[in-house]
Amino acid sequence: NSGQACISTERALVVDSVYDAFVAKVVERTRALRVGADDKAHYGAMTFDRQIERVREHVTEALDKGARAVVGGLDSIKGNFIEPIVLVDVSTKLKVMCEETFGPVLPIAKVSSIEEALRIANESSFGLGSSVFARSGGEALAEKVRTGMTSVNAVAAYAAIPGLPFG
């Protein structure tokens, strides 16, 4: 869906003790993704020109304010097809972290603690869905996140359970 679903992952807040390993795994997996209109593509085109411009705006601002693209970048925006973009060294105050980008962009911010990640997550005016990942205590952390739905050690797992209310 090119990140154009209301419960797509919009950002990652990663505790510094696992940040480097997390980024390395994301980069590895993201580089294997392929955008296109054929059967071999992992995802397809953007649906609206205004969404393409929103992606461009968010990525441009992030790069102009010190973020680094470790996968893709502005040259990834090719017409209606946007190759995946992974940003690091991202300030949590940038649009790409505070607004919905709705595109194949993953900004990753390093945080010093779970408490900092929780504070940043709960500052957002958005909150339909979230995910927390933890070796232990994930359920307790999920209860503190102010969102409509939170998956523990999974992404959007709640969407696959049709008996649950959405949001």
Side-chain angles (χ1 to χ4, degrees):
N1 61 28
S2 305
Q4 297 175 97
C6 62
I7 56 172
S8 294
T9 301
E10 289 283 339
R11 64 185 178 170
L13 304 170
V14 182
V15 176
D16 56 8
S17 61
V18 297
Y19 181 83
D20 291 337
F22 179 85
V23 169
K25 184 59 85 172
V26 167
V27 167
E28 174 190 331
R29 297 230 174 147
T30 303
R31 285 189 174 145
L33 294 176
R34 188 173 166 293
V35 63
D38 58 38
D39 291 342
K40 296 191 188 316
H42 291 98
Y43 66 93
M46 299 291 288
T47 55
F48 298 107
D49 289 342
R50 70 177 178 265
Q51 280 311 120
I52 297 167
E53 288 313 307
R54 184 179 192 98
V55 169
R56 187 183 322 279
E57 174 189 349
H58 286 194
V59 172
T60 298
E61 180 200 41
L63 294 173
D64 286 350
K65 297 206 173 165
R68 291 183 303 118
V70 292
V71 176
L74 288 173
D75 59 343
S76 297
I77 304 169
K78 301 172 179 175
N80 290 353
F81 292 92
I82 300 178
E83 295 171 351
I85 301 169
V86 177
L87 302 171
V88 296
D89 301 333
V90 181
S91 164
T92 59
K93 303 299 182 194
L94 297 175
K95 289 178 184 178
V96 75
M97 291 294 286
C98 297
E99 297 179 7
E100 294 177 305
T101 303
F102 267 37
V105 178
L106 179 62
I108 306 172
K110 185 188 299 187
V111 296
S112 61
S113 66
I114 291 170
E115 292 75 21
E116 182 184 8
L118 182 62
R119 180 185 54 76
I120 293 166
N122 286 339
E123 285 176 349
S124 175
S125 60
F126 302 104
L128 178 57
S130 65
S131 300
V132 298
F133 290 83
R135 286 189 188 111
S136 63
E139 291 85 3
L141 180 58
E143 289 177 6
K144 295 176 183 177
V145 181
R146 289 193 301 264
T147 59
M149 307 167 284
T150 300
S151 290
V152 177
N153 294 335
V155 175
Y158 41 75
I161 305 171
L164 292 176
F166 189 79

